[in-house]
């Protein structure tokens, strides 16, 4: 199920892609047959198929339910606690991948096998011929890709639980990868694998600057991470230039592997290069800084779809007209698809799903408005749930223009699992559909890899209100909404609160300390991933509460109704994105408060 070809052979790669997409239906049938043949004896599938030897697809669809994470969590937790992999997978589970989504405040855990690492290596190799098709000469230089690892957790079973990218970068597939002339990095592996993210960032930027004349593309996985690197460069360019000028590495880089690998690239002092870089960085405006520092760069490779689209204007400011390229669509659960038109406008990015990566099904959802996606069936009754499952379609049977939630059956032990991504079909490449990523189901706020749901936000706000706005302050929180502010780096959550004194209609008297405590309390109540981003990764800034004057949310309602919302069905949006709504809220701010401390986080065990 994992084709092999030489990634240095562009023609072979493009032909393989044509074969996969032309034969999408047959490959999907092979995939599900292989998964069921291998895993029908697992405890999970036996529960529904009762040990039937029949591997009929219709029987699988009729008997195995579509599930959310909470449905499968007990099975995965048993593996994390030390029970056998054959609960869900005939292949040994070698690690658990921590999803950016959470359950009960802890990261979701996804099973992974050794074979799945091979599948990901194949997936990455398919990106190379596509870029070569559109951009020539990529074998004549290097890519400055800023890649990082994140903390791991040891489960009671001894299996490690780690983010999917950390898993891949630490694997032998990455560390012992064969030479590919189209995919040479400026960053030594030692800098990528450094546990200290600040030291890693400094060393990778230093290597990228020293090799600036060889850099043909720059990037990171997510737009947020790349912009964090630009901000870091802005704050540290003098120190970086001093190291280039003297041929040494600053004393606070204590990771010996990092130091040694960077020193070998520095290879002595370079006064002229240091002066060139420092002169560019010392300019008053950093507009176009990427093109100025790396003049041979042909594009910026970062994911700018989904919640990352909010960073496009800032990236365009720094990039100086370089194309922004989103190459792939992937998650902890599965690697899905690739962008066959990588130089398209970021707003037009569509991903073509590769039919050999997993078995894909699609749950239709209705587009009821421009802002909000609703499920085709809203009731939670069993009858409606089964009706909804009856509407599920296979990969090749989706319809252009329709919205779907993707459902996957993987080689690693997920069966008919709802990933939570809402996609829109934009077309087909041969027989394989192409999708635009629309949004994550139920997510209202996201700055980096955090994904805060409306329920998470409500619980955090409620806790802060109970602990800090009751006696003796006697303030009522009458309404609230939120906004992901990415106008500065790092971005941060903004909550708009309308507060009213309990016993009068006067403007509220705001106690600065209490409001700052509210900010901190909200952060303390948000999930593991948010707190890691704030505490460890420093990829999210302090949460802010902006108190607005009485009547502000009435004005917000009037605005939404004027834009086409139904007055009868109006509900206060728990996250605002439109410029008009933000203008109304910001024009009525009477107090701004920030969290004064970082929320607690540590990589605790994942026992139940």
């Amino acid at each position: 199920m994992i084709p092999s070809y030489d990634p240095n052979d562009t023609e072979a790669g493009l032909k393989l892609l044509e074969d996969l997409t032309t034969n999408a239906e047959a490959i999907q049938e092979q995939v599900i047959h292989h998964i069921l043949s291998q895993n029908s004896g697992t405890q999970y599938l036996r529960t529904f198929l009762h040990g039937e030897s029949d591997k009929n697809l219709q029987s699988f669809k009729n008997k195995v339910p579509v599930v959310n994470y909470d449905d499968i969590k007990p099975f995965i937790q048993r593996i994390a606690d030390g029970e056998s992999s054959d609960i869900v997978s005939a292949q040994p589970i070698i690690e658990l991948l921590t999803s950016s989504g959470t359950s009960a405040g802890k990261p979701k855990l996804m099973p992974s096998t050794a074979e799945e690492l091979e599948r990901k290596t194949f997936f990455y190799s398919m990106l190379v011929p596509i870029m070569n098709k559109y951009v020539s000469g990529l074998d004549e230089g290097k890519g400055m890709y800023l890649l990082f690892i994140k903390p791991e957790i040891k489960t009671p079973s001894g299996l490690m639980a780690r983010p999917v990218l950390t898993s891949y970068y630490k694997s032998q597939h990455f560390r012992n990868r064969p030479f590919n002339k189209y995919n040479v990095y400026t960053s030594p592996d030692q800098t990528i694998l450094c546990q200290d993210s600040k030291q890693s960032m400094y060393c990778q930027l230093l290597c990228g600057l020293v090799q600036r004349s060889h850099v043909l593309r720059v990037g990171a996985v997510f737009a947020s991470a790349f912009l964090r690197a630009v901000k870091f460069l802005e704050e540290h360019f003098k120190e970086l230039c001093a190291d280039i000028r003297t041929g040494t590495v600053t004393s606070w880089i204590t990771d010996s592997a990092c130091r040694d690998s960077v020193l070998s690239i520095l290879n002595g002092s370079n006064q002229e290069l240091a002066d060139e870089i420092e002169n560019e960085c010392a300019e008053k405006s950093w507009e176009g800084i990427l093109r100025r520092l790396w003049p041979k760069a042909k594009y910026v490779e970062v994911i700018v779809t989904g919640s990352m689209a909010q960073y496009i204007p800032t990236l365009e400011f720094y990039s100086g007209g370089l194309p922004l390229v989103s190459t792939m669509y992937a998650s902890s659960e599965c690697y899905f698809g690739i962008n066959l038109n990588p130089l398209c406008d970021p707003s037009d990015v569509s991903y073509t799903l590769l039919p050999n990566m997993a078995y894909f099904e699609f749950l239709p959802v209705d587009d009821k408005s421009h802002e909000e996606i609703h499920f085709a069936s809203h009731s939670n009754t069993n009858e409606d749930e089964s009706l909804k499952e009856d509407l599920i379609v296979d990969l090749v049977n989706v319809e252009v223009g329709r919205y779907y939630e993707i459902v996957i059956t993987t080689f690693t032990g997920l069966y008919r699992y709802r990933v939570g991504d809402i996609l829109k079909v934009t077309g087909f490449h041969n027989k394989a559909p192409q999708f635009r990523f629309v949004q994550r189901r139920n997510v209202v706020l996201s700055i980096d890899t955090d994904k805060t749901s409306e329920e998470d936000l409500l619980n955090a706000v409620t806790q802060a209100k109970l602990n800090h706005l009751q006696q003796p302050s006697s303030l009522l929180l009458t309404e609230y909404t939120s906004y992901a502010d990415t106008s500065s780096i790092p971005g941060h959550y903004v909550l708009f609160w309308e507060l009213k004194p309990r016993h009068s209609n006067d403007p509220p008297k705001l106690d600065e300390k209490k409001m700052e405590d509210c900010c901190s309390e909200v952060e303390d109540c948000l999930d593991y991933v948010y707190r890691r981003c704030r505490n460890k990764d420093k990829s999210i800034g302090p949460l802010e509460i902006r108190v607005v004057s009485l009547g502000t949310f009435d004005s917000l309602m009037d605005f939404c109704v004027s834009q086409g919302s139904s007055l009868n069905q109006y509900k206060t949006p728990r996250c605002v994105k439109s410029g008009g709504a933000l203008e109304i809220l910001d024009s009525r701010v009477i107090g701004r408060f920030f969290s004064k401390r970082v929320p607690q986080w540590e990589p605790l065990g994942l026992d139940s």
Side-chain angles (χ1 to χ4, degrees), residues 551-601:
T552 295
F553 279 82
D554 292 334
S555 299
L556 180 63
M557 179 182 69
D558 293 342
F559 171 78
C560 292
V561 170
S562 74
Q563 300 298 301
S565 295
S566 165
L567 184 59
N568 289 328
Q569 295 178 301
Y570 176 79
K571 293 186 295 184
T572 300
R574 291 308 171 206
C575 179
V576 293
K577 297 176 182 176
S578 74
L582 280 173
E583 285 179 16
I584 289 168
L585 293 163
D586 270 332
S587 68
R588 291 163 170 78
V589 171
I590 59 174
R592 297 179 59 171
F593 308 92
F594 290 85
S595 175
K596 294 297 186 184
R597 60 176 171 80
V598 175
Q600 285 194 331
W601 173 88

Side-chain angles (χ1 to χ4, degrees), residues 374-386:
H374 298 271
F375 280 95
S377 174
H378 297 280
S379 172
N380 288 324
T381 66
N382 292 334
E383 181 181 357
D384 282 343
E385 284 297 324
S386 61

Side-chain angles (χ1 to χ4, degrees), residues 1 28-42 45 55 60 88 90 115 119 356-360 408-415:
M1 301 304 297
Q28 280 282 277
E29 290 175 358
Q30 293 169 17
V31 165
I32 190 61
H33 180 77
H34 180 85
I35 291 172
L36 293 180
S37 297
Q38 189 172 67
N39 296 299
S40 60
T42 60
L45 283 182
K55 311 301 187 305
F60 170 72
V88 298
E115 182 187 78
R119 194 167 285 107
N356 63 324
M357 296 305 295
Y359 182 68
F360 300 113
I408 59 172
T409 297
T410 69
F411 295 91
T412 59
L414 299 178
Y415 305 99

